[in-house]
Amino acid sequence: MFRRLTLLLALGIAACAPSEPTPQFHAVDTPRLLSEWGQVGISGETLRLGEGVVAYDLNTPLFTDYALKLRTIWMPEGMQAGYREGETLDFPVGTVITKTFYYPLADQPGAVMRGDGHALIDADGALDLSQVQLIETRILVHREDGWAALPYRWNEDQSEAVLHRYGDVVPLTLVGADGDAQDFNYVMPDVNQCASCHAPDSNTRAIAPIGPKPRHLNRDFDYPDGPMNQLDYLTQIGFLTGAPAPAEAPRNADWADLNATLEDRARAYLDANCSHCHSPVGPADTSGLDLEPGIPHGPALGICKLPIAAGAGTGDRRHDIVPGQPDESILLFRLDNIEPDQMMPEVGRSTIHTEGVELIRAWIESLPGNCD
């Protein structure tokens, strides 16, 4: 009798337990609803990951108007990504990568709080929707003819996200830790604008992921069974092959980690926010500015480099970076700006990342030398 009651209780608990969405790879068709992908799903007031979907994070994330970001990877059973040292992991056809943008709710009605770009999920990978406002989920799917980028906009009751090929503008009030409120328009990109960042090779102009590189992934993440290095975890579950031990892999600093050097923090920030365009093959290759992490101090990094063609984006400054003089440096002028013909990056934000600007200011101030 006791065993039967125990079994019935277990079955009852299982019946009440929220089920995980079932991930799908859509090789040709493009679903109108995000739920049809099965990567994330809503259960009551909780957003949950699909079965076998893996959340991940980056050492230093790209700034997007102080939004938090839940990043996920899923591959069909039996498929693996290949390790590539200085590039994005080599994901097979069938891979689906998502990034959900959201904000913590503020005490003020209709307002949201500033986030730091990382995800606020619990140990089981769930997100409490009573505490946040979902904005959009972007999908990158690897099909036979290449990667496709698809933006989905969450509805008002946070129950579903719908495909928005032409993007959207979301008016928000953003509240800082000090209570200061700022109205701004969160701009959700259209399908074509996705290529502004996700076409990192100007020779091919092909859409591709830019975040899941070893140097960004080489960090611990809180998985359901406890913290573990992400490269090790992806290898352990069969998602990744060929990766070295984390100590032997490159690793970017966390830009906000005060225990790291100012140089490492600033270079990681510029890498995450700028190098997908400012590289030898990036869309901004004609600028002559290379902001990848391994570039030595010198003109290629922007130090005492004259602009090639920046127009109003120079702010009447003569050099990209003037050592010791941030207010004379074009780089800082463009980061500390939201004018369309002057700001950098050119898309992806409507606000100034005050803390990021302060970091780059301090780094330029620390650089020795002059441009005489």
Side-chain angles (χ1 to χ4, degrees):
M1 181 68 176
F2 176 76
R3 291 179 61 186
R4 184 181 178 188
L5 288 173
T6 302
L7 176 60
L8 289 173
L9 179 60
L11 290 173
I13 292 174
C16 295
S19 59
E20 297 175 330
T22 301
Q24 302 290 330
F25 167 53
H26 293 272
V28 178
D29 63 306
T30 298
R32 176 176 173 271
L33 302 179
L34 179 66
S35 59
E36 295 179 64
W37 288 93
Q39 305 298 314
V40 296
I42 304 299
S43 175
E45 287 195 345
T46 303
L47 182 145
R48 298 187 181 278
L49 304 186
E51 183 179 2
V53 174
V54 177
Y56 71 96
D57 205 354
L58 308 179
N59 282 310
T60 291
L62 172 71
F63 173 75
T64 309
D65 290 329
Y66 291 99
L68 297 170
K69 301 172 186 178
L70 171 60
R71 302 168 177 85
T72 71
I73 298 172
W74 174 80
M75 287 175 276
E77 187 175 355
M79 292 187 174
Q80 292 181 305
Y83 179 87
R84 297 192 291 194
E85 185 80 2
E87 304 176 65
T88 302
L89 302 181
D90 187 13
F91 292 104
V93 171
T95 301
V96 181
I97 297 175
T98 79
K99 184 161 56 174
T100 297
F101 296 71
Y102 63 100
Y103 290 90
L105 292 174
D107 292 335
Q108 303 176 26
V112 296
M113 295 289 294
R114 291 185 179 189
D116 62 2
H118 300 288
L120 289 176
I121 58 176
D122 64 22
D124 293 324
L127 184 63
D128 183 357
L129 298 183
S130 69
Q131 302 297 316
V132 302
Q133 179 178 342
L134 302 175
I135 305 296
E136 62 165 321
T137 294
R138 302 176 191 174
I139 280 184
L140 282 175
V141 54
H142 196 185
R143 293 168 168 161
E144 289 287 351
D145 59 352
W147 290 88
L150 303 167
Y152 287 80
R153 170 80 166 93
W154 284 92
N155 57 18
E156 289 188 11
D157 63 8
Q158 309 281 271
S159 61
E160 181 64 272
V162 180
L163 181 65
H164 274 234
R165 289 186 179 275
Y166 303 105
D168 202 359
V169 176
V170 185
L172 292 173
T173 298
L174 191 62
V175 179
D178 58 359
D180 181 54
Q182 171 189 5
D183 293 332
F184 81 103
N185 288 326
Y186 178 102
V187 179
M188 178 180 168
D190 61 37
V191 170
N192 293 328
Q193 287 175 319
C194 292
S196 299
C197 289
H198 284 280
D201 189 329
S202 60
N203 298 311
T204 66
R205 296 301 296 161
I207 297 290
I210 57 177
K213 298 180 175 72
R215 64 180 182 266
H216 300 316
L217 294 171
N218 192 0
R219 56 166 289 158
D220 283 355
F221 189 84
D222 288 331
Y223 297 101
D225 293 332
M228 188 173 180
N229 181 275
Q230 292 184 135
L231 296 177
D232 277 346
Y233 184 79
L234 292 173
T235 299
Q236 177 178 290
I237 66 172
F239 267 24
L240 179 61
T241 182
E248 299 173 6
R251 181 184 183 276
N252 268 15
D254 176 346
W255 75 276
D257 180 8
L258 298 181
N259 292 318
T261 67
L262 178 59
E263 170 77 9
D264 287 347
R265 293 169 58 215
R267 295 297 296 271
Y269 185 87
L270 294 174
D271 180 24
N273 287 274
C274 311
S275 74
H276 49 274
C277 284
H278 287 283
S279 75
V281 298
D285 57 349
T286 56
S287 70
L289 183 63
D290 188 346
L291 296 175
E292 294 181 306
I295 302 303
H297 286 202
L301 186 61
I303 297 176
C304 297
K305 186 183 83 64
L306 296 171
I308 293 175
T314 64
D316 293 326
R317 292 156 173 78
R318 292 190 57 205
H319 300 95
D320 288 353
I321 297 175
V322 180
Q325 300 184 56
D327 291 325
E328 297 300 320
S329 301
I330 297 171
L331 177 67
L332 189 72
F333 173 77
R334 305 201 77 171
L335 291 174
D336 194 15
N337 210 310
I338 54 173
E339 295 299 323
D341 60 342
Q342 298 174 0
M343 63 182 281
M344 280 290 173
E346 294 176 320
V347 297
R349 66 177 178 90
S350 301
T351 60
I352 294 171
H353 189 197
T354 304
E355 298 82 359
V357 169
E358 291 174 351
L359 170 65
I360 301 305
R361 172 181 290 279
W363 175 63
I364 294 175
E365 286 179 341
S366 75
L367 296 176
N370 56 66
C371 296
D372 295 336

